């Protein structure tokens, strides 16, 4: 049996984000495979252990340490893993760390896992050190930590080819062993009917109509370019609404209100968060178009979900987004007037062009980003990689 210890997510089951969804799907597809056993770190208030999708989940209690919580959590979880491996005499374990938070401690854990006959894999996620929410000292730490984690790893698993190229170029002196495995999504339609009461109530609450709104979904942070999206939408003559599904960020919202005065434009509608997945899928399907402003990160879950359900996708023009959508989407830049002009183009798209774009996007999602395909690739890595076989995925 191959034991795989995974640290860095908030845990499963949970409705949090990309890493949590990834682990939920990974363990779901492998729960009946008796040749692999997952051990998943979970963040909680009380220590304990439980089974989920046949995975061994262990809860790490994390004190309130502010921004240092994530580092404490990863270190405590890794110590638990090393102790568990030693106490249960586990042979050739794999330790898989999600995100690059604990670089200064990576060398020590790398030595411990090698002493146990195992390997240490990492997933660098996106460019965390570029995120606007971090002050300069924190950005510097993220970059430093990333470098050390790449240096002291046996394999870097990247969910974007652009991230893989960045790792290879930035840390060439360490000759990192890398591999590309994308994030996944559900390649299906929502189970909700058009007359579902929850859907109709949601539309009524925010004054929205089917195919009469553009949609934005993502965390309310500067690097997702909400300011550009809202400003350009306000400058356009689009006769549809802009529905923004996002979390609360009072500081950013006050700033945008002051700069844009978007509350004077009835088309701009902040509609809160939607955690019910079937409802969110249906809202995506019924949107006229989706606007994606993310510029930091790898394969973005929200983008994949939109490509699988929304016919017209207007994406910020960076490598991560082009890699996912290729020629099935339209692209915009931050230049003044660029997105507003693209919105005018989107309004003039024929039904046939719209249908063709949607078919092309869904085909790409179905073939390259479905969870079954992604889970199978991970299974091969966890076995073949440890046995030192040649990289089969290049």
């Amino acid at each position: 049996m191959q034991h795989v210890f995974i640290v860095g997510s908030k845990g499963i089951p949970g409705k949090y984000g990309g890493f949590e969804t990834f682990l939920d799907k990974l363990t779901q597809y492998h729960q009946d495979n008796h040749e692999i056993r997952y051990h998943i770190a979970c963040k909680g208030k009380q220590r304990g252990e439980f089974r989920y999708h046949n995975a061994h989940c262990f809860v790490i209690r994390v004190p309130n340490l502010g921004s240092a919580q994530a580092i404490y959590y990863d270190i405590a979880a890794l110590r638990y893993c090393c102790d568990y491996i030693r106490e249960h005499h586990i042979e050739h374990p794999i330790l898989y760390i999600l995100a690059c938070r604990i670089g200064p401690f990576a060398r020590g854990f790398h030595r411990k896992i090698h002493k146990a006959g195992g390997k240490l894999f990492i997933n660098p996620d996106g460019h965390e050190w570029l995120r606007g929410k971090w002050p300069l000292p924190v950005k510097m730490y993220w970059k430093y930590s990333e470098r050390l984690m790449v240096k002291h790893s046996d394999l870097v698993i990247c969910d974007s080819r652009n991230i893989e190229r960045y790792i290879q170029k930035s840390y060439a002196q360490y000759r990192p062993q890398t591999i590309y495995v994308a994030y996944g999504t559900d390649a299906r339609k929502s189970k909700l009917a058009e007359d579902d009461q929850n859907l109709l109530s949601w539309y009524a609450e925010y004054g929205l109509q089917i195919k009469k709104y553009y949609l934005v979904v993502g965390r309310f942070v500067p690097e997702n370019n909400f300011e550009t999206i809202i400003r350009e939408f306000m400058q356009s003559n689009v006769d549809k609404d802009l529905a923004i599904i996002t979390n609360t960020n009072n500081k950013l919202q006050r700033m945008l209100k002051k700069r844009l005065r978007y509350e004077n434009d009835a088309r701009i509608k902040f509609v809160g968060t939607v955690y019910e997945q079937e409802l969110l899928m249906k809202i995506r399907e019924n949107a006229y178009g989706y606007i994606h402003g993310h510029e930091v990160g790898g394969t973005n879950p929200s983008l994949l979900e939109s490509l699988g359900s929304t016919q017209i996708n207007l994406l910020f023009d960076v490598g991560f987004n082009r890699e996912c959508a290729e020629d099935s989407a339209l692209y915009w830049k931050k230049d003044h007037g660029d997105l507003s002009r693209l919105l005018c183009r989107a309004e003039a798209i024929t039904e046939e062009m719209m249908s063709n774009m949607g078919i092309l996007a869904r085909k790409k999602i179905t073939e390259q980003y479905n969870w079954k395909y992604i889970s199978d690739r991970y299974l091969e890595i966890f076995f073949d990689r440890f046995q030192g076989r040649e990289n089969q995925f290049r």
Side-chain angles (χ1 to χ4, degrees), residues 84-95:
Y84 189 96
I85 289 167
R86 185 182 65 254
E87 292 171 7
H88 292 81
H89 308 288
I90 292 174
E91 298 180 351
H92 54 77
I94 290 173
L95 196 58

Side-chain angles (χ1 to χ4, degrees), residues 102-135:
I102 52 101
F105 308 91
R107 183 182 181 187
F109 287 111
H110 188 245
R111 285 180 171 179
K112 283 185 178 181
I113 197 71
H114 272 220
K115 188 175 180 180
K119 298 286 185 180
L120 190 150
F121 297 173
I122 68 168
N123 186 316
D125 198 15
H127 294 320
E128 189 67 30
W129 50 276
L130 285 178
R131 295 193 187 279
K133 67 178 180 179
W134 301 123

Side-chain angles (χ1 to χ4, degrees), residues 83-350:
D83 290 343
Y84 189 96
I85 289 167
R86 185 182 65 254
E87 292 171 7
H88 292 81
H89 308 288
I90 292 174
E91 298 180 351
H92 54 77
I94 290 173
L95 196 58
Y96 187 22
I97 305 176
L98 307 176
C100 294
R101 289 180 283 259
I102 52 101
F105 308 91
R107 183 182 181 187
F109 287 111
H110 188 245
R111 285 180 171 179
K112 283 185 178 181
I113 197 71
H114 272 220
K115 188 175 180 180
K119 298 286 185 180
L120 190 150
F121 297 173
I122 68 168
N123 186 316
D125 198 15
H127 294 320
E128 189 67 30
W129 50 276
L130 285 178
R131 295 193 187 279
K133 67 178 180 179
W134 301 123
L136 182 59
V138 176
K139 290 182 178 181
M140 292 173 66
Y141 172 81
W142 273 109
K143 182 66 173 173
Y144 173 68
S145 180
E146 178 185 84
R147 178 172 66 83
L148 292 180
M149 291 195 70
V150 171
K151 180 180 180 180
H152 300 294
S153 65
D154 298 297
L155 179 67
V156 183
I157 302 176
C158 307
D159 69 8
S160 160
R161 296 192 189 279
N162 280 270
I163 289 289
E164 184 180 24
R165 285 191 288 269
Y166 157 77
I167 294 292
Q168 287 286 352
K169 181 179 179 180
S170 300
Y171 306 111
Q173 68 270 34
Y174 305 132
R175 301 179 66 184
Q177 189 73 14
T178 64
I179 194 168
Y180 161 68
V181 185
Y183 187 82
T185 190
D186 289 315
R188 64 173 179 84
K189 292 287 188 179
S190 171
K191 298 175 183 176
L192 297 187
E194 296 294 349
D195 60 353
D196 180 87
Q197 191 56 50
N198 288 336
L199 176 67
L200 296 179
S201 296
W202 190 87
Y203 281 141
E205 181 178 358
Y206 298 107
L208 297 169
Q209 300 178 51
I210 293 174
K211 298 301 180 183
K212 291 293 184 179
Y213 61 91
Y214 285 85
L215 182 67
V216 179
V217 180
R219 289 185 302 165
F220 199 42
V221 291
E223 60 268 19
N224 288 348
N225 287 303
F226 283 94
E227 181 174 359
T228 300
I229 293 171
I230 295 171
R231 183 185 65 243
E232 293 289 316
F233 198 93
M234 291 175 65
Q235 291 175 357
S236 75
N237 58 2
V238 172
D239 64 351
K240 297 177 177 62
D241 293 317
L242 178 65
I244 302 173
I245 296 179
T246 189
N247 60 302
T248 301
N249 183 332
N250 292 329
K251 181 179 178 181
L252 180 58
Q253 195 148 12
R254 284 195 300 269
M255 183 189 74
L256 294 187
K257 277 187 176 181
K258 184 177 180 180
R259 289 183 180 177
L260 305 176
R261 300 188 181 278
Y262 63 79
E263 67 273 17
N264 296 326
D265 190 327
R267 298 173 301 170
I268 310 300
K269 298 181 177 181
F270 282 85
V271 297
T273 54
V274 178
Y275 290 117
E276 206 288 292
Q277 288 305 302
E278 296 299 328
L279 177 59
L280 182 56
M281 289 176 71
K282 197 66 178 178
I283 292 169
R284 289 184 187 277
E285 292 170 18
N286 287 342
Y288 180 81
Y290 175 74
I291 305 176
H292 189 71
H294 295 51
E295 66 174 306
V296 176
T299 306
N300 182 266
S302 181
L303 174 55
L304 295 183
E305 290 161 7
S306 180
L307 291 173
S309 57
T310 311
Q311 291 181 310
I312 300 178
N313 289 277
L314 286 66
L315 315 182
F316 181 60
D317 194 0
V318 289
F320 309 113
N321 298 335
R322 278 195 177 271
E323 175 186 324
C324 292
E326 294 181 331
D327 54 356
S328 69
L330 304 174
Y331 297 90
W332 54 273
K333 300 182 183 296
K334 291 184 183 180
D335 300 345
H336 181 75
D338 194 67
L339 177 55
S340 61
R341 287 190 293 269
L342 190 64
L343 284 164
C344 290
R345 282 182 55 197
E347 290 290 287
I349 287 178
T350 65

Side-chain angles (χ1 to χ4, degrees), residues 7-75:
V7 168
S9 78
K10 294 181 178 68
I12 53 174
K15 298 177 180 178
Y16 297 102
F19 281 145
E20 291 73 35
T21 302
F22 157 65
L23 291 179
D24 196 294
K25 296 297 182 179
L26 186 72
T27 54
Q28 175 188 334
Y29 280 104
H30 297 164
Q31 61 185 321
D32 297 322
N33 188 324
H34 301 296
E35 294 183 346
I36 192 164
R37 172 61 50 80
Y38 291 106
H39 306 263
I40 310 295
C42 302
K43 185 179 180 181
K45 296 181 179 180
Q46 297 293 333
R47 290 182 179 274
E49 300 180 16
F50 61 94
R51 291 277 177 181
Y52 179 75
H53 287 165
N54 205 30
H56 164 225
C57 302
F58 56 94
V59 180
I60 301 295
R61 183 179 176 275
V62 181
N64 186 6
L65 300 173
S67 58
Q69 282 189 45
I71 297 173
Y72 175 94
Y73 171 51
D74 283 2
I75 292 173

